[in-house]
């Protein structure tokens, strides 16, 4: 039986997690059918990520991808010469990523884990990338998320983020309402001001909407998403 006594902040966070669905199982079911026409199931990298490399904002280095899903961005970064650790809470997602890495003949270190249960070496990453995970993080875990990114990046390292833009996609409910409803309602939408405030310890290198891409473009792009590139101070 679970010990329901709260001794620490971590115990409080775990208690709050328990109010919501079991994330790993939910995402495993989500990935069970790969042909259901979900835009990000396409085997193409984010258009903003490709631009970061093409523009020289990011150079090949050590990368951690949070919530990597089927590995489309992890595979792209490995092809650019990065050493990539890619993490997802869903085993089905990790299996898909491994298949894609084999298909593209690149090496990616995939691991099934909750991002809040990883042992990460402080100051070890040149880039942390998150495409679509942050808006699924419960508000009580947000401070831990920011701390994880800050601690794991090298000084001068980059954090790339793609997430729902309020007004175009995502639930527009307050953080308190998430707990009243016991749901993120499919992911939270954020305003530019809110995101910049969350990441105010970082320098903003670029902040814009994602460019809408067609199926034929070979890149993923949906205009209902924000894209942001932040840099940790040196
Ligand atoms: C919208 S999907 C995006 C997947 C992938 N980044 C992409 O763009 O193709 C969000 C992903 O975050 C993962 N995820 C959500 N919460 C997580 C957590 N706490 N730890 C690790 N992965 C998580 C889900 O399993 C899911 O694969």
């Amino acid at each position: 039986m679970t010990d329901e006594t709260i001794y620490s902040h971590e115990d409080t966070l775990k208690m709050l997690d328990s109010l919501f669905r079991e994330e790993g199982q939910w995402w495993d079911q989500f990935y069970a059918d790969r042909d259901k026409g979900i835009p990000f199931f396409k085997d193409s990298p984010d258009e903003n990520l490709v631009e970061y490399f093409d523009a020289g904002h990011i150079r090949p280095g050590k990368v951690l991808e949070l919530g990597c899903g089927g590995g489309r961005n992890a595979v792209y970064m490995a092809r650019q010469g990065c050493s990539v650790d890619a993490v997802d809470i869903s085993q089905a997602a990790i299996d898909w990523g491994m298949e894609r890495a084999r298909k593209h003949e690149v090496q990616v270190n995939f691991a099934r884990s909750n991002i809040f249960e990883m042992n990460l070496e402080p100051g070890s990453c040149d880039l942390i990338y998150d495409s679509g995970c942050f808006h699924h993080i419960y508000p009580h875990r947000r401070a831990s998320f920011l701390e994880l990114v800050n601690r794991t990046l090298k000084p001068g390292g980059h954090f790339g983020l793609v997430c729902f833009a309020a007004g175009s996609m995502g639930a527009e409910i307050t953080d308190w309402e998430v707990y009243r409803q016991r749901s993120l309602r499919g992911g939270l939408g954020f305003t530019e001001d809110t995101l910049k405030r969350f990441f105010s310890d970082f320098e903003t290198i670029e902040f814009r909407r994602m460019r809408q891409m067609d199926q034929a473009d070979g890149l993923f792009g949906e205009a209902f998403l924000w894209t942001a590139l932040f840099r940790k101070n040196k």
Side-chain angles (χ1 to χ4, degrees), residues 51-88:
E51 188 196 78
Y52 300 154
F53 279 92
D54 288 352
H57 291 314
I58 295 175
R59 290 177 213 291
K62 185 155 170 46
V63 175
L64 170 66
E65 188 180 1
L66 303 172
C68 62
R72 56 193 184 84
N73 288 312
V75 163
Y76 167 76
M77 291 187 279
R79 293 177 88 178
Q80 302 314 299
C82 296
S83 160
V84 184
D85 291 331
V87 179
D88 201 284

Side-chain angles (χ1 to χ4, degrees), residues 161-227:
L161 176 68
V162 172
C163 71
F164 289 153
S168 297
M169 188 60 86
E172 290 181 53
I173 54 175
T174 66
D175 286 343
W176 289 26
E177 191 60 22
V178 168
Y179 296 88
R180 288 185 201 106
Q181 297 193 17
R182 291 198 179 191
S183 170
L184 288 172
R185 304 249 310 270
L188 298 175
F190 295 107
T191 65
E192 177 171 354
D193 283 353
T194 312
L195 287 173
K196 286 187 171 168
R197 191 162 165 195
F198 289 150
F199 295 98
S200 57
D201 284 351
F202 296 78
E203 181 188 350
T204 304
I205 304 299
E206 188 185 88
F207 194 103
R208 64 168 171 83
R209 283 300 187 93
M210 194 176 244
R211 295 189 186 101
Q212 188 66 46
M213 293 286 153
D214 290 333
Q215 277 293 335
D217 288 331
L219 295 174
F220 172 83
E222 291 289 348
F224 57 75
L225 295 164
W226 290 120
T227 71

Side-chain angles (χ1 to χ4, degrees), residues 17 42 50 64 69 72 99-100 113 120 122 195 214 218 225:
D17 287 344
K42 180 177 156 185
V50 172
L64 170 66
R72 56 193 184 84
E99 283 173 40
R100 277 187 172 151
S113 177
L120 297 166
L195 287 173
D214 290 333
L225 295 164

Side-chain angles (χ1 to χ4, degrees), residues 94-129:
I94 293 298
D95 291 345
W96 197 2
M98 286 172 159
E99 283 173 40
R100 277 187 172 151
R102 270 195 298 276
K103 185 178 100 187
H104 292 284
E105 299 181 337
V106 288
Q107 168 66 35
V108 174
N109 303 314
F110 283 104
R112 197 217 69 82
S113 177
N114 186 328
I115 59 168
F116 301 111
E117 293 169 3
M118 295 183 295
N119 272 328
L120 297 166
E121 196 186 327
S124 57
C125 288
D126 296 290
L127 170 67
I128 298 181
Y129 195 67

